[in-house]
Amino acid sequence: MMRWLTAGESHGSGLVGIIEGLPAGIEITTADIQDALLRRRLGYGRGARMKFEKDEVTIISGVRHGITLGSPVAIHIANTEWPKWELVMNPDPVDPEEIEGLARNAALRRPRPGHADMAGMQKFGFDEARPLLERASARETATRVALGRVAQHFLAQLGIRTVAHTVRMGEIEIAPGYDFPTADDVETIDADPLRCIDPEASARMVEAVDTTKKSGETLGGVVEVLVHDAPVGLGSHIHWDRRLDSKLAGALMGIQAMKGVEIGDGFDVATRVGSDAHDAIIRHADGSVARTTHRAGGIEAGMSTGEPIRVRVAMKPIATVPRALATVDVATGQATKAHHQRSDVTAVPASGVVAEAMVALVIAGEVLEKFGGDSVEETRRNMHSFTANIKPIPEPESDHVDQHDMGDPL
Ligand SMILES: Cc1cc2nc3c(=O)[nH]c(=O)nc-3n(C[C@H](O)[C@H](O)[C@H](O)COP(=O)(O)O)c2cc1C
Ligand SMILES: C=C(O[C@@H]1CC(C(=O)O)=C[C@@H](OP(=O)(O)O)[C@H]1O)C(=O)O
């Protein structure tokens, strides 16, 4: 079983991620993880913090000379802003006189609608938002991206690749009918300010971010993640919590600010008739099967079909709206405006990188669930043995297409 955990606060000394259950033999270096974290910082519309803060990576365990050992991989990401926050976020008691009057330590008593502030204060019994917003912050997603990169390298060594791209920013959507991007497109996607494959839509998205910023507003959007060359049979129809679609939806909804997940054509299939909603099956000359369309997103009945896996996730606009929303001061009861210091205008491009990592972590877990293996080589052998032994569909006796619309009786 593969499992992973993250720890760390937004302005704490650093973040820690631990992943356990990955096999030995994954090729991964500090520079690879640093590169993954750099990708998460890209994207038009992010706030000033992305520029002045750096992610400083240390692989603490589980890797030797660029190869995983099969032991837990622990990764530390230092918050380079720590010196500024050392008093405010110190784990040990500090001299009250030292933090008295420190602007950074000012109590946050005007909770932001849409963030963790209000519900968190009530749930944990805090009288200001700092103690909970530190963990609610999406700074934590740096750890997921770091762990996700290890999972991505594992998958890549098995020939399975993931890619994410922005398909919507506010009201602007990419042109329909696009070819699904592959891992070969990652560099081009990363080079686009919005991580969008449609240059015309991207230009309009940049304008939308600018207009939104000028008006003191924030924006959300939608990202799509694709998994190429995953084998048939990941996940299971046997029980709800073993379904691949259920696991992917949970993982994507577990990213801060995500409000909806679609598998394949998602909500749109609910508007169609059955014959326009599913993917017809055809036989290849070698006895393998394929689909004529990609509506199901490569998942049927909770199992991967061998087609590209395609999922989308919708992100709400950033909650720290400069044109601050109405709230109440929890100390005085006075109606007021929510606190606002700085924030991203949008974080949709960065969320694509996070979503890609989350999907990779789910798929890596499912590959190990089905094929096991203490070394990448063993997982590869098991996977190839399974796929090589899938029963070929027999060659038809004639080219005649059976027109029985009731199909074969089961
Ligand atoms: C990459 C990323 C960056 C984010 N940046 C901000 C931000 O700068 N300001 C903010 O208020 N929310 C930001 N958020 C969203 C908050 O983390 C999120 O709104 C909060 O956790 C509560 O939202 P939820 O109920 O939808 O999870 C960001 C989210 C992600 C994924
Ligand atoms: C630091 C990161 O994202 C942060 C996520 C975040 C939030 O509320 O989620 C709020 C902002 O931080 P702050 O409130 O300190 O300005 C973002 O910068 C990061 O992604 O590395």
Side-chain angles (χ1 to χ4, degrees):
M1 185 183 73
M2 193 199 90
R3 53 196 171 146
W4 56 274
L5 265 182
T6 76
E9 274 78 41
S10 183
H11 302 97
S13 64
L15 305 160
V16 176
I18 301 182
I19 186 162
E20 194 268 325
L22 280 174
I26 303 169
E27 292 164 16
I28 190 86
T29 64
T30 307
D32 293 324
I33 293 166
Q34 201 84 57
D35 171 73
L37 294 177
L38 212 59
R39 292 180 69 222
R40 197 192 66 95
R41 289 186 167 271
L42 299 173
Y44 200 68
R46 293 216 76 184
R49 189 170 167 191
M50 284 308 97
K51 293 199 178 70
F52 57 70
E53 191 171 46
K54 300 275 174 289
D55 296 310
E56 276 176 3
V57 176
T58 309
I59 301 177
I60 294 172
S61 69
V63 185
R64 178 168 179 259
H65 301 163
I67 310 280
T68 60
L69 303 170
S71 52
V73 175
I75 299 171
H76 179 257
I77 306 167
N79 283 337
T80 54
E81 288 296 283
W82 174 239
K84 290 191 210 156
W85 289 87
E86 200 168 344
L87 277 176
V88 177
M89 290 301 294
N90 204 295
D92 290 320
V94 292
D95 179 353
E97 275 182 19
E98 270 196 274
I99 53 171
E100 181 74 47
L102 212 64
R104 271 198 184 85
N105 199 46
L108 302 172
R109 298 201 173 108
R110 292 176 290 127
R112 294 161 298 174
H115 218 303
D117 306 356
M118 191 69 244
M121 276 193 268
Q122 291 180 321
K123 177 174 167 65
F124 290 92
F126 295 126
D127 57 10
E128 63 126 345
R130 172 69 60 200
L132 55 106
L133 73 81
E134 283 291 334
R135 182 63 184 165
S137 163
R139 169 88 192 121
E140 180 266 348
T141 60
T143 340
R144 306 194 205 188
V145 168
L147 299 180
R149 176 57 80 98
V150 187
Q152 281 176 309
H153 279 218
F154 167 51
L155 294 175
Q157 283 174 246
L158 300 172
I160 304 167
R161 289 172 191 275
T162 48
V163 57
H165 63 123
T166 303
V167 294
R168 172 180 282 280
M169 178 68 75
E171 289 187 347
I172 298 159
E173 208 176 357
I174 68 169
Y178 56 89
D179 290 335
F180 297 150
T182 69
D184 293 340
D185 299 310
V186 167
E187 231 174 276
T188 318
I189 293 170
D190 283 350
D192 183 84
L194 274 310
R195 305 197 73 255
C196 177
I197 55 170
D198 176 345
E200 193 269 331
S202 172
R204 289 194 293 129
M205 288 175 184
V206 166
E207 275 172 33
V209 173
D210 289 341
T211 316
T212 305
K213 188 174 181 181
K214 273 192 206 122
S215 62
E217 281 291 353
T218 57
L219 265 188
V222 178
V223 297
E224 181 171 83
V225 188
L226 291 130
V227 184
H228 293 281
D229 300 312
V232 64
L234 301 181
S236 174
H237 67 290
I238 297 293
H239 207 262
W240 69 270
D241 55 356
R242 293 178 60 186
R243 294 179 63 107
L244 182 59
D245 44 8
S246 161
K247 291 188 182 190
L248 287 170
L252 291 168
M253 285 299 291
I255 303 171
Q256 294 83 341
M258 299 305 149
K259 293 297 129 199
V261 174
E262 291 187 309
I263 310 287
D265 286 358
F267 276 63
D268 200 60
V269 290
T271 66
R272 305 181 200 159
V273 295
S275 56
D276 289 335
H278 305 294
D279 301 318
I281 302 172
I282 52 165
R283 178 186 179 280
H284 282 317
D286 65 355
S288 65
V289 293
R291 307 304 171 113
T292 51
T293 50
H294 297 285
R295 296 156 175 161
I299 302 175
E300 284 175 339
M303 293 171 281
S304 61
T305 62
E307 294 289 316
I309 295 170
R310 183 167 59 94
V311 291
R312 287 180 166 205
V313 60
M315 182 180 197
K316 72 183 182 183
I318 297 292
T320 312
V321 186
R323 220 169 73 187
L325 274 82
T327 190
V328 288
D329 185 316
V330 296
T332 65
Q334 191 66 48
T336 181
K337 294 281 183 191
H339 68 84
H340 176 270
Q341 282 159 348
R342 62 183 185 195
S343 78
D344 301 328
V345 179
T346 185
V348 173
S351 297
V353 176
V354 180
E356 195 182 291
M358 290 300 282
V359 167
L361 285 161
V362 170
I363 300 294
E366 291 307 293
V367 164
L368 287 166
E369 171 79 20
K370 176 142 182 64
F371 304 114
D374 291 308
S375 67
V376 177
E377 204 36 58
E378 187 183 353
T379 309
R380 195 200 329 263
R381 255 194 334 263
N382 296 346
M383 190 174 112
H384 284 178
S385 158
F386 169 75
T387 49
N389 284 290
I390 292 172
K391 242 181 161 173
I393 309 291
E395 198 168 338
E397 281 170 16
S398 77
D399 289 341
H400 170 76
V401 177
D402 191 342
Q403 295 295 351
H404 285 138
D405 59 2
M406 295 303 288
D408 297 329
L410 289 173

